[in-house]
Amino acid sequence: MTYLVTGATGSVGRHVVAYLLEAGHRVRALTRDPGRARLPEGVEVVQGDLGRTETLRPALKGVEGVHLIDAADSAYAPLRNGPEIVEAIREAGVGKVTLLSGWSPGTLEPAVTGSDLAWTYVQPTEFMANALAWAEPVRERGLIEEPFAATKTAMVHEADIGAVIATALTEDGHEGHSYGLTGPELLDVPAKVRILSEAIGREIAFRELTVDEMRERHRAQGVPEEMIEFQIEVFGNVPEGAYQVTPTVEEVTGRPPRTFARWAAEHAAAFSRGRGA
Ligand SMILES: NC(=O)c1ccc[n+]([C@@H]2O[C@H](COP(=O)([O-])OP(=O)(O)OC[C@H]3O[C@@H](n4cnc5c(N)ncnc54)[C@H](OP(=O)(O)O)[C@@H]3O)[C@@H](O)[C@H]2O)c1
């Protein structure tokens, strides 16, 4: 069986590819730049752009299932050609579709979930990989500065998202389901900082930013305005209990979700002086 993976070079997609290969499937990976894809040996790498449906059509030929992301560019602008993508998948006679939720509402999610395709919609909460944004300040200054220190979130490990996607693509019983994925525990920012400190064996200081300070910094870094407002909406002033741990990773994969301590140990080098990301 061959599966087409879009976003295969991304933090989640690499795990989807790894799980599919491990299960003995063939993988075709769509990327805008095959020269930079660095995918494992045996993966068929094809050039394409999700925003240009005509480049997707040849990649869909002969595949059993397709994993989709909703990203039109590296800043995660939502795709505008959702209905066209769904039509191309139907025309190619592809059996299964998984869709990873995007940053903001777009055209792909309603087109997929409103279609007669055998779809599974995967909606993770905050990725643990987002903590990589702290790698440089930790290496350079041993300091993490964030707003909303008290907001507790249940970050999810990218490998668990990949495992759920690979399972939903290759096994029966997941069609028509929307899966909200979380990690195993609710952590506020100081708890995340403590866990990272333990993983790198060095004390990391924490200072809470005001919302205005955060806005200014993100603007200076060129973060799109919608993404800044999205972060304020998602992490700011959330009522106690707004974020809950879900049992879905274990229900789908049969394994408990990975902890942030495990993620931190796996990525300690990125936060350690002299080694780089
Ligand atoms: N970070 C979070 O907390 C979070 C939470 C929920 C959902 N998400 C969503 O998860 C998705 C994947 O995130 P990630 O962290 O795995 O991504 P990532 O590591 O930032 O990589 C981005 C991926 O998007 C692909 N891509 C971008 N524009 C494309 C286009 N026009 N055509 C084809 N591929 C394109 C890139 O492929 P190439 O560069 O190889 O072409 C790359 O594989 C995003 O849509 C994001 O919005 C993120």
Side-chain angles (χ1 to χ4, degrees):
M1 304 262 196
T2 302
Y3 292 89
L4 174 65
V5 180
T6 70
T9 61
S11 62
V12 168
R14 290 192 183 276
H15 291 287
V16 177
V17 169
Y19 275 107
L20 290 172
L21 290 175
E22 194 184 298
H25 300 292
R26 281 196 290 271
V27 176
R28 186 178 294 160
L30 183 105
T31 172
R32 291 164 300 169
D33 186 354
R36 294 178 50 184
R38 293 186 298 108
L39 285 158
E41 208 170 306
V43 172
E44 181 192 352
V45 180
V46 296
Q47 208 269 333
D49 186 323
L50 277 166
R52 294 192 295 125
T53 316
E54 69 278 11
T55 67
L56 191 59
R57 285 201 178 88
L60 285 164
K61 282 210 179 97
V63 302
E64 180 70 19
V66 55
H67 171 59
L68 296 172
I69 58 163
D70 185 4
D73 58 30
S74 299
Y76 310 116
L79 289 159
R80 293 158 182 258
N81 54 333
E84 268 183 40
I85 291 175
V86 166
E87 206 37 52
I89 293 169
R90 293 182 76 249
E91 275 168 20
V94 175
K96 290 262 191 82
V97 179
T98 52
L99 170 62
L100 179 60
S101 57
W103 268 109
S104 45
T107 58
L108 188 55
E109 183 270 322
V112 169
T113 59
S115 74
D116 57 1
L117 296 170
W119 55 264
T120 307
Y121 183 41
V122 178
Q123 293 177 281
T125 184
E126 187 191 4
F127 295 180
M128 290 182 183
N130 295 355
L132 286 172
W134 295 336
E136 190 185 331
V138 168
R139 283 198 311 270
E140 303 294 325
R141 288 174 287 133
L143 173 67
I144 290 175
E145 295 175 300
E146 280 290 321
F148 315 127
T151 299
K152 288 185 179 169
T153 63
M155 295 185 294
V156 58
H157 195 302
E158 303 73 57
D160 287 325
I161 308 171
V164 167
I165 290 167
T167 305
L169 261 185
T170 57
E171 294 179 14
D172 290 334
H174 304 284
E175 301 84 3
H177 288 273
S178 292
Y179 288 142
L181 305 185
T182 71
E185 60 199 333
L186 285 162
L187 299 170
D188 61 17
V189 182
K192 294 172 194 174
V193 174
R194 270 197 306 279
I195 289 169
L196 270 177
S197 296
E198 277 164 31
I200 68 171
R202 184 161 66 94
E203 199 56 37
I204 302 169
F206 172 66
R207 182 176 86 83
E208 183 166 5
L209 291 178
T210 67
V211 178
D212 285 343
E213 280 176 314
M214 173 199 136
R215 260 207 199 92
E216 275 168 35
R217 282 178 187 213
H218 281 359
R219 279 183 187 146
Q221 290 161 359
V223 178
E225 209 64 25
E226 320 82 75
M227 189 108 58
I228 299 175
E229 294 312 316
F230 178 78
Q231 284 193 26
I232 293 170
E233 188 188 316
V234 172
F235 299 114
N237 306 318
V238 293
E240 183 72 23
Y243 291 97
Q244 297 292 336
V245 168
T246 71
T248 317
V249 167
E250 184 156 9
E251 284 172 357
V252 174
T253 67
R255 288 184 300 270
R258 293 159 170 90
T259 61
F260 186 56
R262 174 168 173 175
W263 184 96
E266 289 166 358
H267 294 83
F271 296 83
S272 300
R273 281 196 206 109
R275 281 189 272 183

